[in-house]
Every structure is written in structure tokens, then in C-alpha cells.
Amino acid sequence: MPAPSESLVRPQIGLIEVNTEPVHNALHSLMLIAKAAYLSGLGDWVLNTREALTAAELDNHHLVVEGLHYALYPQRHWPSFPAYLDHLQNMDPLLLRDRLLDGYFDLPCKRDQPSPYKSYEEVLRTPESYLDFLVGRFGPELVDEQLERQAYTYAVNPAAMQILIVSHLRMMWDRFLAGEWSHVEPMLADSAAAFKATNLHGLSFRETAEFITGQPVADIDWNVIERDYQRLVFVPSAHVGPYIGRYHQNDTYYILFGAR
């Protein structure tokens, strides 16, 4: 829940940035394609790309960006999406699998008692243990059993998971994202540069976020952000529409907003 405005002070984190972040931008646009069936107000590129996918490609898309979501996101800045894909292709598949499970273990357990799962081996013992672990993290209403059973077959076969992720992301980049990024990147760079040139001195952490995004962001617990993160990175997006995207890796919190 949002903290009272009077408790908000000038952020104590080390750095506030506004960057185009090609990899986070691309991955969030891919996530929006998966969500387009129930989100309104998204851009034409998102809707047209979803329509262009075959049924099998769309199934794979949901599996990769939702079922294997936490395996996708980088641990540092990358200068381009193709460079990051090369990194994914060359990394140890077990590390990719561990990144997926790390994302789940980092989430608090929603059950009244502590999670009974203390290791990756326990989580991956059976499809049922995997599903039970996810229900403990997300609640039953947010766990798609069919999708997660598919994801389990790849979680226990990291090499196959790596091939699926890299091949699908390369296909999406080559067919859809590369041309779109070439088209929108200058506009995103202009948006980032405009905010970088703006004097935000004296604004609170929350006021800074609301000024940059152009909308209320009351559902973020700013006290947690100030305490737990050293960098706050705002990322202008051409596809997010009226929504705000949020990700965090290590000591960095990312907020994606509609470029303006």
C-alpha cells in the first residue's frame, strides 16, 4: 500500500536514471503481446504482432514470457537485444534454470505457514511439487496449471529450456522487434534526453516518479524502494500505453512508462 505522502523524503538511493534500456524495452513489449487479450489501450504494434503469430507460436510465446518469465531478464545493462541473445545462447543452461527458480524463491510465501520447499531439488521433484510451490508463491488463482506443467518440462531440462528461449526470442526479434526498434528508438532516446535535462531537485522520490511517468504510481511502496535499491531507472516505452511496467534486478528497480 502507498506510504503517506508526508513520510516521503528525497530518495537516498545512489542514482536516478532515464535510459532507453533496449533489453528491458524489448522484453516488456514481448510481455505486452501476451497480455494483449485482456489489456486495453495498447499500441497497434502490440496488437498487430499478436495477430501475426500462428496458434503454435502464440502458445510458445506465452510459455516463454510467462511460464519461464524470470529466466529472461538480464542481471546488468546490455547495449542491444541481439547482444543479450548471444549471451543467453552461450551461458550455462543450469544458470538460466537457476535464474528462473531464484525469481520464485525471492517472492514471499503467501501461505500461513512457511514454504516446505527449501531447495531446487525439492521444487523440481515432480510436476505436482512444482505446481504446489508456485501456488504457495502466487496463490491458486494466478497459477495456470497447463502452462506451468509445460514450464516444468523445461525447468527439469535446462538445455531444452535454453534452446526454446533463445530460438523464440530470436524469431520475435528478427520478424517483429528489430524493425520496430529501429523505428521507435530515436523517439525513445529523445524522451530520455528531455528528462535527463530536467531539473528534478527538491522533488520527493514519489513526486519524481509521477513527474516522469505523467501519472499516479500510488501502488508502489516507496519506503521499500528507498530502502532496498541503489538505482532507480526510468525506461520510456513506445508500447506500454496507459500502463506502467516494473522490474527489479539486484539493486536496481526499473519503471517503464509511455514515452512522452
Side-chain angles (χ1 to χ4, degrees), residues 9 18 20 44 50 57 83 111 131 138 152 158-159 168 170 174 189 196 202 205 221 249 255 257:
V9 297
V18 186
T20 57
D44 289 342
R50 182 181 174 92
E57 289 170 341
R111 289 172 170 156
L131 288 169
F138 296 99
Y152 172 81
H168 181 76
R170 282 199 190 279
D174 291 341
K196 288 179 181 179
F205 202 4
D221 189 336
Q249 275 90 39
I255 296 179
F257 65 97

Side-chain angles (χ1 to χ4, degrees), residues 81-190:
F81 197 64
Y84 181 58
L85 292 181
D86 290 342
H87 167 72
L88 289 180
Q89 184 170 345
N90 293 323
M91 71 184 297
D92 185 336
L94 279 175
L95 295 179
L96 195 63
R97 191 282 312 271
D98 289 352
R99 186 189 294 180
L100 172 69
L101 297 179
D102 285 344
Y104 292 142
F105 269 95
D106 286 344
L107 296 172
C109 187
K110 292 183 175 296
R111 289 172 170 156
D112 293 335
Q113 66 266 10
S115 173
Y117 300 98
K118 306 302 181 185
S119 69
Y120 296 161
E121 291 74 21
E122 292 174 352
V123 170
L124 297 176
R125 185 168 293 126
T126 66
E128 285 66 35
S129 63
Y130 188 71
L131 288 169
D132 185 60
F133 172 74
L134 295 180
V135 167
R137 258 50 188 184
F138 296 99
E141 69 280 0
L142 295 180
V143 174
D144 182 330
E145 179 175 345
Q146 180 178 354
L147 179 69
E148 298 302 347
R149 284 185 179 276
Q150 285 183 285
Y152 172 81
T153 66
Y154 288 95
V156 296
N157 187 347
M161 182 176 72
Q162 183 180 44
I163 291 171
L164 172 68
I165 288 174
V166 173
S167 62
H168 181 76
L169 294 183
R170 282 199 190 279
M171 181 274 290
M172 295 299 293
W173 172 259
D174 291 341
R175 284 177 57 187
F176 305 109
L177 273 170
E180 176 68 0
W181 181 252
S182 178
H183 174 66
V184 303
E185 193 274 336
M187 179 268 291
L188 300 181
D190 286 346

